[in-house]
Amino acid sequence: MKACFVRIFLLGCLFTSVIACSSLDPSRLSSLTLDEAKSGSIVEMTAGDVFVIVLEGNPTTGYTWELDTLDATIVQQIGEAEFTPESDAIGSGGKFTFRFQAISAGQSFLKLLYHRPWEQGTPPLNTFELMVIVKIQNGG
């Protein structure tokens, strides 16, 4: 009985150690969510990592977030931007969500514009900028 208890105790310690050491290092996360507060930042990723940008907006005003600048050989947009309203009320604002994947080593400047696309020559109401540095994961 004592030997059984010791085995269970040791297995429990091993399990706890594995849990404590797994995926707590933020640099090893494969998915990252960024908001307006991160505009102007530099983000380091590993090829294959996915990141999401979530920005406030209201398309009923005619303004929309659009991708302006991106090196698609390094970072690719996954699908189209999605808008999720904050409520069911007509004309309510909400959040635009963009998804991207780091695909090869290098650096890419990413810029999103919040503007009315038909207003040529008018500066955007807001911008989101990010420098993405993509590295290849080492084999260890």
Side-chain angles (χ1 to χ4, degrees):
M1 182 95 148
K2 186 175 178 184
C4 183
F5 175 76
V6 170
R7 283 188 198 131
I8 292 171
F9 176 77
L10 291 175
L11 285 173
C13 289
L14 178 63
F15 179 75
T16 302
S17 297
V18 169
I19 296 297
C21 293
S22 66
S23 301
L24 295 180
D25 180 1
S27 66
R28 300 194 56 88
L29 293 177
S30 61
S31 183
L32 176 68
T33 301
L34 307 166
D35 60 15
E36 277 188 71
K38 297 297 183 185
S39 184
S41 327
I42 298 171
V43 176
E44 290 189 19
M45 310 285 293
T46 300
D49 286 353
V50 172
F51 64 100
V52 178
I53 300 173
V54 179
L55 303 168
E56 303 268 338
N58 189 340
T60 65
T61 62
Y63 285 92
T64 188
W65 282 100
E66 285 187 331
L67 180 61
D68 180 64
T69 307
L70 179 69
D71 184 341
T73 64
I74 296 169
V75 176
Q76 287 186 343
Q77 184 172 354
I78 302 171
E80 296 294 319
E82 299 171 9
F83 176 74
T84 305
E86 290 177 353
S87 76
D88 291 334
I90 294 174
S92 71
K95 298 184 187 294
F96 285 85
T97 302
F98 291 82
R99 288 177 178 76
F100 298 93
Q101 183 169 26
I103 57 168
S104 65
Q107 296 182 66
S108 177
F109 180 70
L110 184 153
K111 184 175 184 180
L112 299 167
L113 303 176
Y114 188 61
H115 68 136
R116 290 178 172 149
W118 67 86
E119 292 183 340
Q120 300 300 314
T122 303
L125 189 61
N126 201 354
T127 59
F128 179 91
E129 299 174 339
L130 191 66
M131 176 58 71
V132 182
I133 300 171
V134 181
K135 298 178 180 182
I136 301 297
Q137 184 173 1
N138 293 336

